[in-house]
Amino acid sequence: MGQHRHALRTSAVGAVSAALIAGTALGLAPTAQAASADVRFVDIAGDGGTVLKANVVTPASADGSRRYPLLVMPTSWGLPQVEYLAQAQKLADSGYVVLTYNVRGFWQSGGEIEVAGPPDVADASKVIDWALANTPADARKVGMAGVSYGAGISLLAAAHDKRIKAVSAMSGWADLIDSIYSGRTQHSQATALLGGVGYLTGRPSAELQQTLKDFFASNLSKEQEMIAWGKKRSPETYVDQLNKNGAAVFMANGWGDTIFQPNQYARFYEELTGPKRLEFRPGDHATAELTGLFGLPNDVWTDTGRWFDHYLRGVDNGIDREQPVQLKPRTTGAYEGYPDWKSVGATRKKIALAGTTTIHTNVDSGADGGIIFLSSILDQVAQVPPMASIPLLPRRWAAVWQSERYASVQQVRGTTTLHTTLTPTKESGTLIAYLYDVGPLGLGKLVSNAPYTFHGQTPGKPFGVDLELYSTAYDVPAGHQLALVVDTVDPLYIEHNPSGAQLTFSSPANDPSYVSVPLREQ
């Protein structure tokens, strides 16, 4: 088995490396840039002497007479160190020393996968040490950037290493637990994908293997241990240190990211006190940045370059004077700027969830969040999100509430919240809430969703539920209405409904149930 996985890993790294390098050679990255920068493949001793495979890209003009800003870029989960080669060449040609390295536990780097644990954070500092000693890098001008796994490590490193003055964290996480265990619900497709890629392209540590085992086994006796494991790996845990260090932080993510949802990035952004910028665009995990890895024009990478140009090279390019929150709605092509996150959904409209509704569990009603990657990419490329016929949803398994038809466009911006009173027939259970844009024929397009799981409740006793749906930017056309649908099964998540369980939703007079939808000021 070990030899077979090693063979798969070797073949896969060859294929990925060939694709990325071929993209550069075939002109996906500008030929002049590809030819000018100097590229070296090196070994770097990381924390504890673990060998990290890396490449260094320096400006062609480097002759030892001057120093250049340094950019360190840890790889994404499961990708080799040539991942950033096209962008590294562009950045080197604009005056940076760029060092990209394969994080420990993956591909040909040594060690085991620590999931952005302390050894990964220490590795980043060791890589900076090596670069300052072996390249014409300026110790006063150090930045870090990365996509996905590289983004999380970059934020964590900036909280622990004062030398890091600027960060670009693309499709990353701020709260690891809120990403894969939001609403106390296992995000099974996302975590299975990460685990599978980890086993295929790397060497998971014993700690990671046990954590995954407990996660999928729904081992509640290990829940607090798992949460502590995730908090140790979450930049949000170290936000005070990051603020004290003062690094300029740029973060970007996709509205439909099925691995690291936008809510946790938005919350983290509001906690930052230094220079900061937040960008959200249509797309799933890392799809908004993908074309840039091949050197193609790409908004995320363009703004990353502008961010470092200003905060490391001192270029007066105006990025510090722009509105720091930039959103591209899923339904239009225009960017919108806001002074902060709380200004995004400046007004709110409530939809009353009147009456009492009981649903049965254990059956997928037909309302669901789609398929990881595929659904959000379809929404990104063709504006075709997951859909459901709202009138045809079986009310035995789905609760449905609808708004009035809107006379004008409703520009949903930010985080929709649900408040209701729930009475279960069992002590544990799971529900998934969906917000749909419903057209005249009853076809609903998914606007947002989120899961919620409870344990230890008293059967027959009502309790309050407050749930944040995933943040989004979506325009509901005039003549349409919004619908909230709640059911109990979704392929994206592990559900905890005992066989035969029922859930009753009510709206007491002293505590009415509602959905609060954030709207852009017209």
Side-chain angles (χ1 to χ4, degrees), residues 360-363 424-430 454-455 459 488 495-503:
H360 294 71
T361 64
N362 308 120
V363 173
T425 59
K426 305 290 184 179
E427 67 172 15
S428 294
T430 296
F454 60 89
H455 296 289
T488 64
E495 52 102 1
H496 296 267
N497 296 295
S499 179
Q502 299 178 33
L503 304 179

PDB file of all heavy atoms in Angstrom, residues 360-363 424-430 454-455 459 488 495-503:
ATOM      1  N   HIS A 360     -40.825  15.578   9.190  1.00  0.00           N
ATOM      2  CA  HIS A 360     -40.176  14.311   9.511  1.00  0.00           C
ATOM      3  C   HIS A 360     -38.731  14.367   9.015  1.00  0.00           C
ATOM      4  O   HIS A 360     -38.398  15.126   8.104  1.00  0.00           O
ATOM      5  CB  HIS A 360     -40.921  13.145   8.866  1.00  0.00           C
ATOM      6  CG  HIS A 360     -42.294  12.934   9.428  1.00  0.00           C
ATOM      7  ND1 HIS A 360     -43.340  13.807   9.194  1.00  0.00           N
ATOM      8  CD2 HIS A 360     -42.806  11.941  10.210  1.00  0.00           C
ATOM      9  CE1 HIS A 360     -44.432  13.369   9.809  1.00  0.00           C
ATOM     10  NE2 HIS A 360     -44.135  12.238  10.433  1.00  0.00           N
ATOM     11  N   THR A 361     -37.883  13.558   9.611  1.00  0.00           N
ATOM     12  CA  THR A 361     -36.449  13.597   9.312  1.00  0.00           C
ATOM     13  C   THR A 361     -36.030  12.404   8.456  1.00  0.00           C
ATOM     14  O   THR A 361     -36.860  11.577   8.048  1.00  0.00           O
ATOM     15  CB  THR A 361     -35.636  13.607  10.615  1.00  0.00           C
ATOM     16  OG1 THR A 361     -35.871  12.361  11.314  1.00  0.00           O
ATOM     17  CG2 THR A 361     -36.049  14.766  11.507  1.00  0.00           C
ATOM     18  N   ASN A 362     -34.739  12.339   8.173  1.00  0.00           N
ATOM     19  CA  ASN A 362     -34.066  11.195   7.532  1.00  0.00           C
ATOM     20  C   ASN A 362     -34.273  11.090   6.027  1.00  0.00           C
ATOM     21  O   ASN A 362     -33.783  10.133   5.409  1.00  0.00           O
ATOM     22  CB  ASN A 362     -34.485   9.858   8.181  1.00  0.00           C
ATOM     23  CG  ASN A 362     -34.328   9.875   9.695  1.00  0.00           C
ATOM     24  OD1 ASN A 362     -35.314   9.689  10.417  1.00  0.00           O
ATOM     25  ND2 ASN A 362     -33.135  10.102  10.177  1.00  0.00           N
ATOM     26  N   VAL A 363     -34.969  12.058   5.425  1.00  0.00           N
ATOM     27  CA  VAL A 363     -35.182  12.007   3.967  1.00  0.00           C
ATOM     28  C   VAL A 363     -34.799  13.358   3.372  1.00  0.00           C
ATOM     29  O   VAL A 363     -35.197  14.409   3.886  1.00  0.00           O
ATOM     30  CB  VAL A 363     -36.658  11.680   3.626  1.00  0.00           C
ATOM     31  CG1 VAL A 363     -36.903  11.809   2.123  1.00  0.00           C
ATOM     32  CG2 VAL A 363     -37.014  10.276   4.100  1.00  0.00           C
ATOM     33  N   PRO A 424     -38.057  19.264  19.382  1.00  0.00           N
ATOM     34  CA  PRO A 424     -37.711  17.967  18.797  1.00  0.00           C
ATOM     35  C   PRO A 424     -38.390  16.816  19.531  1.00  0.00           C
ATOM     36  O   PRO A 424     -38.833  16.964  20.672  1.00  0.00           O
ATOM     37  CB  PRO A 424     -36.193  17.910  19.009  1.00  0.00           C
ATOM     38  CG  PRO A 424     -35.995  18.616  20.328  1.00  0.00           C
ATOM     39  CD  PRO A 424     -37.079  19.675  20.407  1.00  0.00           C
ATOM     40  N   THR A 425     -38.446  15.696  18.859  1.00  0.00           N
ATOM     41  CA  THR A 425     -38.955  14.494  19.525  1.00  0.00           C
ATOM     42  C   THR A 425     -37.811  13.624  20.037  1.00  0.00           C
ATOM     43  O   THR A 425     -38.055  12.638  20.735  1.00  0.00           O
ATOM     44  CB  THR A 425     -39.822  13.653  18.561  1.00  0.00           C
ATOM     45  OG1 THR A 425     -39.031  13.287  17.423  1.00  0.00           O
ATOM     46  CG2 THR A 425     -41.037  14.443  18.120  1.00  0.00           C
ATOM     47  N   LYS A 426     -36.569  13.988  19.682  1.00  0.00           N
ATOM     48  CA  LYS A 426     -35.390  13.255  20.151  1.00  0.00           C
ATOM     49  C   LYS A 426     -34.387  14.266  20.709  1.00  0.00           C
ATOM     50  O   LYS A 426     -34.480  15.459  20.460  1.00  0.00           O
ATOM     51  CB  LYS A 426     -34.742  12.457  19.007  1.00  0.00           C
ATOM     52  CG  LYS A 426     -35.683  11.498  18.292  1.00  0.00           C
ATOM     53  CD  LYS A 426     -36.071  10.304  19.163  1.00  0.00           C
ATOM     54  CE  LYS A 426     -36.936   9.322  18.364  1.00  0.00           C
ATOM     55  NZ  LYS A 426     -37.324   8.134  19.163  1.00  0.00           N
ATOM     56  N   GLU A 427     -33.392  13.776  21.436  1.00  0.00           N
ATOM     57  CA  GLU A 427     -32.443  14.691  22.084  1.00  0.00           C
ATOM     58  C   GLU A 427     -31.406  15.266  21.122  1.00  0.00           C
ATOM     59  O   GLU A 427     -30.780  16.288  21.414  1.00  0.00           O
ATOM     60  CB  GLU A 427     -31.735  13.992  23.245  1.00  0.00           C
ATOM     61  CG  GLU A 427     -30.814  12.862  22.834  1.00  0.00           C
ATOM     62  CD  GLU A 427     -30.007  12.336  24.012  1.00  0.00           C
ATOM     63  OE1 GLU A 427     -30.353  12.646  25.176  1.00  0.00           O
ATOM     64  OE2 GLU A 427     -29.025  11.625  23.765  1.00  0.00           O
ATOM     65  N   SER A 428     -31.213  14.618  19.968  1.00  0.00           N
ATOM     66  CA  SER A 428     -30.267  15.103  18.965  1.00  0.00           C
ATOM     67  C   SER A 428     -30.975  15.299  17.636  1.00  0.00           C
ATOM     68  O   SER A 428     -32.025  14.677  17.377  1.00  0.00           O
ATOM     69  CB  SER A 428     -29.104  14.117  18.777  1.00  0.00           C
ATOM     70  OG  SER A 428     -28.316  14.028  19.944  1.00  0.00           O
ATOM     71  N   GLY A 429     -30.386  16.120  16.785  1.00  0.00           N
ATOM     72  CA  GLY A 429     -30.972  16.309  15.462  1.00  0.00           C
ATOM     73  C   GLY A 429     -30.185  17.307  14.629  1.00  0.00           C
ATOM     74  O   GLY A 429     -29.316  18.021  15.140  1.00  0.00           O
ATOM     75  N   THR A 430     -30.488  17.325  13.350  1.00  0.00           N
ATOM     76  CA  THR A 430     -29.847  18.249  12.413  1.00  0.00           C
ATOM     77  C   THR A 430     -30.909  18.846  11.513  1.00  0.00           C
ATOM     78  O   THR A 430     -31.830  18.155  11.068  1.00  0.00           O
ATOM     79  CB  THR A 430     -28.801  17.516  11.544  1.00  0.00           C
ATOM     80  OG1 THR A 430     -27.751  17.023  12.378  1.00  0.00           O
ATOM     81  CG2 THR A 430     -28.198  18.445  10.492  1.00  0.00           C
ATOM     82  N   PHE A 454     -27.996  19.876  16.985  1.00  0.00           N
ATOM     83  CA  PHE A 454     -28.126  20.001  18.434  1.00  0.00           C
ATOM     84  C   PHE A 454     -27.972  18.627  19.081  1.00  0.00           C
ATOM     85  O   PHE A 454     -28.270  17.588  18.481  1.00  0.00           O
ATOM     86  CB  PHE A 454     -29.478  20.624  18.821  1.00  0.00           C
ATOM     87  CG  PHE A 454     -30.685  19.842  18.366  1.00  0.00           C
ATOM     88  CD1 PHE A 454     -31.233  18.845  19.159  1.00  0.00           C
ATOM     89  CD2 PHE A 454     -31.270  20.107  17.127  1.00  0.00           C
ATOM     90  CE1 PHE A 454     -32.338  18.125  18.744  1.00  0.00           C
ATOM     91  CE2 PHE A 454     -32.385  19.389  16.708  1.00  0.00           C
ATOM     92  CZ  PHE A 454     -32.921  18.396  17.508  1.00  0.00           C
ATOM     93  N   HIS A 455     -27.487  18.636  20.303  1.00  0.00           N
ATOM     94  CA  HIS A 455     -27.363  17.417  21.110  1.00  0.00           C
ATOM     95  C   HIS A 455     -27.786  17.754  22.539  1.00  0.00           C
ATOM     96  O   HIS A 455     -27.660  18.892  22.995  1.00  0.00           O
ATOM     97  CB  HIS A 455     -25.920  16.907  21.126  1.00  0.00           C
ATOM     98  CG  HIS A 455     -25.397  16.475  19.793  1.00  0.00           C
ATOM     99  ND1 HIS A 455     -25.817  15.335  19.157  1.00  0.00           N
ATOM    100  CD2 HIS A 455     -24.484  17.061  18.961  1.00  0.00           C
ATOM    101  CE1 HIS A 455     -25.175  15.213  17.994  1.00  0.00           C
ATOM    102  NE2 HIS A 455     -24.378  16.251  17.858  1.00  0.00           N
ATOM    103  N   PRO A 459     -36.498  15.928  24.737  1.00  0.00           N
ATOM    104  CA  PRO A 459     -37.585  15.700  23.777  1.00  0.00           C
ATOM    105  C   PRO A 459     -38.885  16.332  24.250  1.00  0.00           C
ATOM    106  O   PRO A 459     -39.260  16.243  25.430  1.00  0.00           O
ATOM    107  CB  PRO A 459     -37.693  14.166  23.735  1.00  0.00           C
ATOM    108  CG  PRO A 459     -36.313  13.692  24.093  1.00  0.00           C
ATOM    109  CD  PRO A 459     -35.814  14.670  25.109  1.00  0.00           C
ATOM    110  N   THR A 488     -33.804  18.161   6.649  1.00  0.00           N
ATOM    111  CA  THR A 488     -32.924  17.518   7.628  1.00  0.00           C
ATOM    112  C   THR A 488     -31.800  16.691   7.027  1.00  0.00           C
ATOM    113  O   THR A 488     -31.003  16.120   7.775  1.00  0.00           O
ATOM    114  CB  THR A 488     -33.755  16.597   8.543  1.00  0.00           C
ATOM    115  OG1 THR A 488     -34.341  15.536   7.761  1.00  0.00           O
ATOM    116  CG2 THR A 488     -34.863  17.374   9.246  1.00  0.00           C
ATOM    117  N   GLU A 495     -25.658  14.196   9.095  1.00  0.00           N
ATOM    118  CA  GLU A 495     -26.835  14.563   9.890  1.00  0.00           C
ATOM    119  C   GLU A 495     -26.988  13.632  11.079  1.00  0.00           C
ATOM    120  O   GLU A 495     -26.524  12.501  11.068  1.00  0.00           O
ATOM    121  CB  GLU A 495     -28.099  14.570   9.022  1.00  0.00           C
ATOM    122  CG  GLU A 495     -28.348  13.301   8.204  1.00  0.00           C
ATOM    123  CD  GLU A 495     -29.397  12.411   8.834  1.00  0.00           C
ATOM    124  OE1 GLU A 495     -29.932  12.782   9.884  1.00  0.00           O
ATOM    125  OE2 GLU A 495     -29.657  11.337   8.273  1.00  0.00           O
ATOM    126  N   HIS A 496     -27.649  14.148  12.107  1.00  0.00           N
ATOM    127  CA  HIS A 496     -27.722  13.460  13.400  1.00  0.00           C
ATOM    128  C   HIS A 496     -29.167  13.255  13.845  1.00  0.00           C
ATOM    129  O   HIS A 496     -29.477  13.385  15.036  1.00  0.00           O
ATOM    130  CB  HIS A 496     -26.941  14.260  14.455  1.00  0.00           C
ATOM    131  CG  HIS A 496     -25.484  14.356  14.170  1.00  0.00           C
ATOM    132  ND1 HIS A 496     -24.561  13.468  14.671  1.00  0.00           N
ATOM    133  CD2 HIS A 496     -24.784  15.230  13.405  1.00  0.00           C
ATOM    134  CE1 HIS A 496     -23.353  13.794  14.243  1.00  0.00           C
ATOM    135  NE2 HIS A 496     -23.459  14.860  13.470  1.00  0.00           N
ATOM    136  N   ASN A 497     -30.026  12.939  12.905  1.00  0.00           N
ATOM    137  CA  ASN A 497     -31.436  12.720  13.232  1.00  0.00           C
ATOM    138  C   ASN A 497     -31.699  11.240  13.479  1.00  0.00           C
ATOM    139  O   ASN A 497     -31.547  10.424  12.570  1.00  0.00           O
ATOM    140  CB  ASN A 497     -32.319  13.210  12.074  1.00  0.00           C
ATOM    141  CG  ASN A 497     -32.190  14.705  11.866  1.00  0.00           C
ATOM    142  OD1 ASN A 497     -32.560  15.500  12.713  1.00  0.00           O
ATOM    143  ND2 ASN A 497     -31.629  15.090  10.717  1.00  0.00           N
ATOM    144  N   PRO A 498     -32.093  10.863  14.687  1.00  0.00           N
ATOM    145  CA  PRO A 498     -32.450   9.462  14.948  1.00  0.00           C
ATOM    146  C   PRO A 498     -33.627   9.037  14.065  1.00  0.00           C
ATOM    147  O   PRO A 498     -34.461   9.860  13.664  1.00  0.00           O
ATOM    148  CB  PRO A 498     -32.837   9.462  16.431  1.00  0.00           C
ATOM    149  CG  PRO A 498     -32.165  10.671  17.003  1.00  0.00           C
ATOM    150  CD  PRO A 498     -32.181  11.685  15.907  1.00  0.00           C
ATOM    151  N   SER A 499     -33.696   7.784  13.763  1.00  0.00           N
ATOM    152  CA  SER A 499     -34.767   7.270  12.915  1.00  0.00           C
ATOM    153  C   SER A 499     -36.135   7.592  13.517  1.00  0.00           C
ATOM    154  O   SER A 499     -36.375   7.389  14.713  1.00  0.00           O
ATOM    155  CB  SER A 499     -34.625   5.749  12.765  1.00  0.00           C
ATOM    156  OG  SER A 499     -35.656   5.223  11.966  1.00  0.00           O
ATOM    157  N   GLY A 500     -37.012   8.124  12.668  1.00  0.00           N
ATOM    158  CA  GLY A 500     -38.367   8.432  13.092  1.00  0.00           C
ATOM    159  C   GLY A 500     -38.531   9.758  13.814  1.00  0.00           C
ATOM    160  O   GLY A 500     -39.645  10.092  14.248  1.00  0.00           O
ATOM    161  N   ALA A 501     -37.445  10.538  13.929  1.00  0.00           N
ATOM    162  CA  ALA A 501     -37.534  11.811  14.646  1.00  0.00           C
ATOM    163  C   ALA A 501     -38.356  12.832  13.864  1.00  0.00           C
ATOM    164  O   ALA A 501     -38.457  12.770  12.635  1.00  0.00           O
ATOM    165  CB  ALA A 501     -36.139  12.361  14.905  1.00  0.00           C
ATOM    166  N   GLN A 502     -38.957  13.760  14.588  1.00  0.00           N
ATOM    167  CA  GLN A 502     -39.690  14.871  13.986  1.00  0.00           C
ATOM    168  C   GLN A 502     -39.224  16.181  14.612  1.00  0.00           C
ATOM    169  O   GLN A 502     -38.814  16.225  15.775  1.00  0.00           O
ATOM    170  CB  GLN A 502     -41.197  14.712  14.207  1.00  0.00           C
ATOM    171  CG  GLN A 502     -41.795  13.454  13.582  1.00  0.00           C
ATOM    172  CD  GLN A 502     -43.270  13.315  13.872  1.00  0.00           C
ATOM    173  OE1 GLN A 502     -43.986  14.310  13.984  1.00  0.00           O
ATOM    174  NE2 GLN A 502     -43.743  12.075  14.010  1.00  0.00           N
ATOM    175  N   LEU A 503     -39.300  17.245  13.818  1.00  0.00           N
ATOM    176  CA  LEU A 503     -38.947  18.580  14.277  1.00  0.00           C
ATOM    177  C   LEU A 503     -40.145  19.495  14.075  1.00  0.00           C
ATOM    178  O   LEU A 503     -40.721  19.543  12.991  1.00  0.00           O
ATOM    179  CB  LEU A 503     -37.746  19.130  13.497  1.00  0.00           C
ATOM    180  CG  LEU A 503     -36.455  18.302  13.499  1.00  0.00           C
ATOM    181  CD1 LEU A 503     -35.388  18.996  12.639  1.00  0.00           C
ATOM    182  CD2 LEU A 503     -35.931  18.104  14.923  1.00  0.00           C
TER     183      LEU A 503
END
